[in-house]
Amino acid sequence: MISINNLTFEIGSRALYDEANWHIKPGDKVGLIGANGAGKSTLLRLIVGQYKPTSGSISMAKDLKIGYLNQDLLSYHSDKSIVHVAMEAFERQNQLHLEIENLLKSLETDYSDDILNKLSDKQMEFEALDGYNIEFRAHEILAGLGFSEEEQKRPLATFSGGWRMRVMLARILLQTPDILLLDEPTNHMDLPSIKWLENYLQAFDGAIVIVSHDRYFLDRIIKKTVESRKGKLTLYAGNYSYYLEEKSLRNEIQAGQFKNQQAKIKQEERLIERFRAKASKAKMAQSRIKALDRMERVDDVDDDNPEVNFSFKFSKPSGRHVVTLENISKSYPNLEILRNTEAIIEKGDKIALIGANGKGKSTLLRIVAEDDKDFEGTVTQGHNVSQTFFAQHQLEALHLENSIIAEMQAFAPTHTETELRSILGCFLFTGDDAFKKIKVLSGGEKSRVALAKALTADANFLVLDEPTNHLDMASVNILIQALQQYEGTVIVVSHDRYFLDNIANKIWFIEDKEIKEYPGTYEEYEVWNSKRVQKPVVEKKVIKEEPKKEKKVAPTDDNKKLILKKNKELAQLEQQIALKEADVKELEIRLADEEIYSDAIKLQDTTRKYNSTKAEYQQLQNDWEKIAEEIIELES
């Protein structure tokens, strides 16, 4: 499918790839991993031809259809509705639709066989390309990615960057390419959309190459892992978890080989020194020196997942109640977020605040952090609470002309340079890296600096909004270790499930405009939530005890009546669908009738009737599916 042979790609004097090789086969589902700066995104650009190799080759079939999602697509601008932007994927169908409309207009004055034949050919091709269903498919994909029916009518230009990226992803998925190249597809996605995308990609028939720092996402989709490291591409025949185990075994073998080789080299060097002192053995010494020079050296194993040992400092521990929220209500124009809700954050809590975008997670976090004052109700901070708030916009507050170490010293003047350099080392800024100017750092590097600053604050309460954005897996692992060692209180918003599962001991979610609490880990919450049965019972605002296994509730009399009504509606729809299906087939037969297609006016009328009948048939099917789902929910 795609063959990468002896690929070398240089940036200035640095070889990002050095005679790297990789063969992507049809149906491969591959995770392309590696540290930030290892060249993952660059490799995707090389594959699609945006960059040219210094040497070597990338070969593929000329008709190979590639769907490429990258962060540059954020700059795409359109005032069209997002459903129309998504439908741009159907280039040929859209062209045919326009040509058919023009031919139908021509038929009003020109009844020639040439026009009739062209129209017939175009309609047959349009039907073969499933042209009558493309709008339905666009709506379906956009709904899966979290867009409501009303939002799908809004212009693309009215959405934020993260939501625009989802529209571009929808457009790419609708193209049904032979291979998908996805560069950080889950950035800016909420958990429901990530899960929908997982299901979609699992069922996708083509090949997939994913660059992602979300290890749970990778584990659920990929069957192979390719590591970009030190200019080479190394294949592992399994998902990300398999890669970790296999790499550990390979490292163990390599470490043993390195140790044995070093012992042999030292032994040879000692013999050479002894032989050099004797004239009769000088020739032998030279021979051994040449043999050492020719020896292919085994590299020592690099520690890609360093263990960190933070010494967190806060001068005073907080009281038992860190933050108390009472009767909190918050609204925006045309959108109510919270209504008369309450909750308590207690000392030692490590709370993950989760949920779909638009539910108010970041809003609630700002209320907790007292960064948002425009709400009703009361927020009370407890005794001796000292807080630090991390959010992505704080990257803009970094002083661009400062070096990293100077930025840290200005923020934490009570820490020694040794302490600050130790903390920076934990965030992968080692040696002279500490003297880099902030202005030359990548987004991920700036994020690491801002996090390091937050963790040096004299704070016993951390409020973190998406701290894992722009972090590679090694940096996420460091942050996990840091927060596990932190003895204060934490509340965090993140869509990284591995991160949440390793740091949270409580889960908050917003439901029915109230704060709900699950007293356990994220993994436990997921199991509990998947088994939840929707019941017509008012749920308490905060769950104080471990949820018990719920029993299936027998339908109430009202439910039985509603189920009976819905079943009648379903039966009526089935009759309508059968009749409408017969109408569609009859119109298809009429369109093939010589008497119709030889008469321009009859053909035009029949074609329009066929199109509208086909659309009505599709809508009836959609209505049937909707009512069937409602019945299933009522019977649960």
Side-chain angles (χ1 to χ4, degrees):
M1 185 175 239
I2 297 177
S3 185
I4 298 172
N5 299 300
N6 298 321
L7 174 71
T8 297
F9 181 73
E10 295 173 347
I11 299 176
S13 59
R14 180 191 172 204
L16 199 58
Y17 286 101
D18 182 14
E19 297 191 348
N21 295 278
W22 180 19
H23 183 60
I24 305 171
K25 299 175 183 176
D28 273 356
K29 288 183 167 61
V30 187
L32 178 58
I33 66 167
N36 284 346
K40 304 182 296 295
S41 298
T42 300
L43 182 60
L44 298 187
R45 292 180 184 276
L46 283 161
I47 290 172
V48 298
Q50 290 183 4
Y51 295 161
K52 300 297 180 187
T54 305
S55 63
S57 66
I58 299 176
S59 56
M60 65 191 77
K62 287 183 180 179
D63 60 349
L64 186 70
K65 197 173 175 184
I66 297 176
Y68 175 40
L69 179 81
N70 65 91
Q71 303 305 308
D72 290 350
L73 293 174
L74 282 171
S75 62
Y76 183 87
H77 180 83
S78 176
D79 291 318
K80 293 180 181 177
S81 70
I82 63 171
V83 72
H84 277 92
V85 172
M87 286 175 64
E88 289 172 2
F90 304 109
E91 189 174 342
R92 181 58 184 159
Q93 290 95 324
N94 290 332
Q95 184 184 347
L96 283 167
H97 178 74
L98 184 61
E99 290 174 0
I100 289 168
E101 287 296 310
N102 290 336
L103 286 168
L104 287 169
K105 285 180 182 177
S106 298
L107 276 173
E108 294 173 4
T109 55
D110 183 355
Y111 308 142
S112 66
D113 288 344
D114 182 50
I115 295 290
L116 289 169
N117 290 334
K118 282 181 181 178
L119 180 61
S120 178
D121 290 344
K122 300 295 182 188
Q123 287 176 328
M124 285 177 64
E125 186 182 354
F126 190 69
E127 175 75 20
L129 292 172
D130 199 26
Y132 296 108
N133 282 323
I134 59 175
E135 188 167 354
F136 170 75
R137 287 168 58 195
H139 284 300
E140 189 178 39
I141 294 281
L142 288 168
L145 289 169
F147 292 99
S148 68
E149 206 169 315
E150 283 303 311
E151 286 172 332
Q152 292 182 31
K153 299 172 186 174
R154 280 172 46 194
L156 178 73
T158 64
F159 288 89
S160 65
W163 287 97
R164 286 202 305 273
M165 185 59 79
R166 292 196 205 188
V167 178
M168 306 317 290
L169 175 59
R171 191 173 72 171
I172 289 167
L173 295 179
L174 287 165
Q175 289 169 349
T176 57
D178 302 309
I179 180 169
L180 285 168
L181 306 180
L182 305 177
D183 194 355
E184 296 292 353
T186 61
N187 272 7
H188 312 291
M189 275 194 188
D190 54 20
L191 289 172
S193 297
I194 290 172
K195 290 175 183 176
W196 179 89
L197 183 58
E198 284 174 355
N199 292 332
Y200 185 93
L201 294 178
Q202 284 167 353
F204 182 70
D205 290 331
I208 305 172
V209 177
I210 304 173
V211 174
S212 177
H213 297 139
D214 185 335
R215 56 194 292 170
Y216 276 20
F217 180 71
L218 290 176
D219 265 351
R220 284 161 171 75
I221 297 164
I222 66 173
K223 306 297 181 187
K224 296 179 181 178
T225 304
V226 169
E227 182 182 33
S228 175
R229 190 168 182 273
K230 293 187 174 179
K232 304 295 183 185
L233 295 168
T234 307
L235 176 67
Y236 294 81
N239 64 11
Y240 186 78
S241 293
Y242 172 88
Y243 153 79
L244 290 176
E245 293 177 10
E246 180 66 17
K247 186 171 184 183
S248 178
L249 289 173
R250 293 188 193 185
N251 283 349
E252 197 175 319
I253 294 167
Q254 184 181 331
Q257 291 172 337
F258 175 78
K259 185 178 178 182
N260 292 337
Q261 189 180 67
Q262 290 300 306
K264 183 177 180 181
I265 289 170
K266 286 178 182 176
Q267 184 182 26
E268 287 294 301
E269 287 173 343
R270 283 197 298 270
L271 286 171
I272 289 166
E273 286 303 312
R274 285 173 59 193
F275 291 157
R276 272 179 174 165
K278 298 180 181 179
S280 61
K281 303 288 186 180
K283 189 173 181 181
M284 186 182 292
Q286 287 300 317
S287 176
R288 287 181 177 269
I289 289 169
K290 288 177 182 177
L292 270 184
D293 290 340
R294 288 194 302 270
M295 183 183 290
E296 188 174 340
R297 302 298 173 104
V298 176
D299 292 331
D300 195 3
V301 175
D302 292 336
D303 188 0
D304 293 330
N305 292 291
E307 291 188 6
V308 300
N309 185 19
F310 272 79
S311 178
F312 285 104
K313 295 180 179 179
F314 44 83
S315 52
K316 294 178 182 177
S318 70
R320 180 185 169 189
H321 290 168
V322 176
V323 174
T324 304
L325 305 174
E326 297 176 284
N327 303 319
I328 302 296
S329 295
K330 171 71 179 182
S331 297
Y332 294 107
N334 305 318
L335 180 63
E336 186 179 26
I337 301 292
L338 298 166
R339 184 195 304 141
N340 198 32
T341 189
E342 58 188 40
I344 295 176
I345 301 174
E346 298 183 328
K347 180 181 178 182
D349 278 351
K350 290 180 179 173
I351 298 170
L353 176 52
I354 65 169
N357 286 346
K359 289 288 186 180
K361 301 186 303 296
S362 293
T363 298
L364 176 55
L365 208 66
R366 290 196 300 273
I367 289 172
V368 168
E370 299 188 327
D371 193 53
D372 184 340
K373 306 284 188 182
D374 184 20
F375 62 90
E376 295 177 12
T378 307
V379 176
T380 307
Q381 281 207 346
H383 180 63
N384 279 342
V385 172
S386 54
Q387 170 206 291
T388 189
F389 179 41
F390 171 84
Q392 290 299 312
H393 68 262
Q394 288 174 300
L395 273 62
E396 299 165 11
L398 296 173
H399 300 87
L400 298 181
E401 294 301 324
N402 273 353
S403 66
I404 297 173
I405 189 67
E407 184 75 10
M408 295 291 289
Q409 287 170 328
F411 183 77
T414 60
H415 286 65
T416 66
E417 182 174 335
T418 303
E419 287 174 330
L420 293 176
R421 287 183 70 106
S422 174
I423 292 169
L424 287 173
C426 292
F427 278 92
L428 308 181
F429 295 111
T430 58
D432 291 341
D433 288 344
F435 300 105
K436 284 183 179 178
K437 291 284 184 79
I438 300 291
K439 65 183 179 183
V440 304
L441 302 182
S442 66
E445 288 171 328
K446 287 177 182 174
S447 190
R448 279 188 267 145
V449 173
L451 272 170
K453 284 175 64 175
L455 296 177
T456 57
D458 180 18
N460 52 37
F461 179 39
L462 300 179
V463 182
L464 308 175
D465 192 4
E466 295 289 0
T468 59
N469 274 7
H470 307 297
L471 296 187
D472 59 19
M473 290 180 184
S475 300
V476 171
N477 192 44
I478 286 166
L479 182 58
I480 287 169
Q481 293 178 65
L483 293 177
Q484 285 173 341
Q485 295 173 35
Y486 181 60
E487 294 181 359
T489 305
V490 180
I491 182 167
V492 58
V493 169
S494 175
H495 299 137
D496 188 320
R497 290 161 290 179
Y498 177 77
F499 171 74
L500 295 179
D501 203 30
N502 279 274
I503 60 104
N505 58 22
K506 283 184 181 178
I507 308 297
W508 277 14
F509 55 102
I510 299 171
E511 193 172 80
D512 301 326
K513 301 177 179 59
E514 295 181 340
I515 302 166
K516 309 288 180 69
E517 180 183 293
Y518 177 85
T521 66
Y522 177 76
E523 184 178 12
E524 291 166 344
Y525 163 81
E526 279 282 86
V527 172
W528 168 75
N529 192 47
S530 66
K531 294 179 178 177
R532 270 209 294 175
V533 178
Q534 295 297 326
K535 301 184 296 182
V537 176
V538 178
E539 194 172 359
K540 291 181 180 179
K541 292 180 183 178
V542 176
I543 303 163
K544 293 295 184 181
E545 297 178 357
E546 185 75 26
K548 295 178 181 177
K549 189 174 181 181
E550 298 183 64
K551 296 179 180 177
K552 192 170 180 178
V553 178
T556 63
D557 289 340
D558 287 343
N559 265 19
K560 287 178 182 176
K561 288 178 183 177
L562 193 53
I563 290 168
L564 187 62
K565 182 185 174 186
K566 293 287 181 186
N567 274 313
K568 286 180 180 177
E569 290 178 16
L570 206 62
Q572 290 170 357
L573 275 171
E574 285 169 355
Q575 291 176 359
Q576 292 175 39
I577 287 169
L579 291 170
K580 195 63 69 174
E581 187 176 14
D583 290 344
V584 169
K585 287 179 179 176
E586 184 187 343
L587 286 164
E588 286 174 347
I589 293 168
R590 289 182 66 190
L591 284 169
D593 189 337
E594 185 179 354
E595 184 185 344
I596 299 294
Y597 68 70
S598 62
D599 186 318
I601 295 173
K602 285 183 181 178
L603 179 62
Q604 186 175 349
D605 289 343
T606 307
T607 300
R608 285 178 176 159
K609 190 170 183 181
Y610 173 77
N611 290 342
S612 64
T613 306
K614 189 80 178 280
E616 289 167 5
Y617 172 68
Q618 187 65 60
Q619 186 57 52
L620 286 169
Q621 286 187 316
N622 295 344
D623 293 343
W624 186 95
E625 288 176 7
K626 184 179 177 183
I627 291 174
E629 287 174 2
E630 289 173 358
I631 292 171
I632 291 168
E633 288 181 9
L634 288 166
E635 289 177 340
S636 298

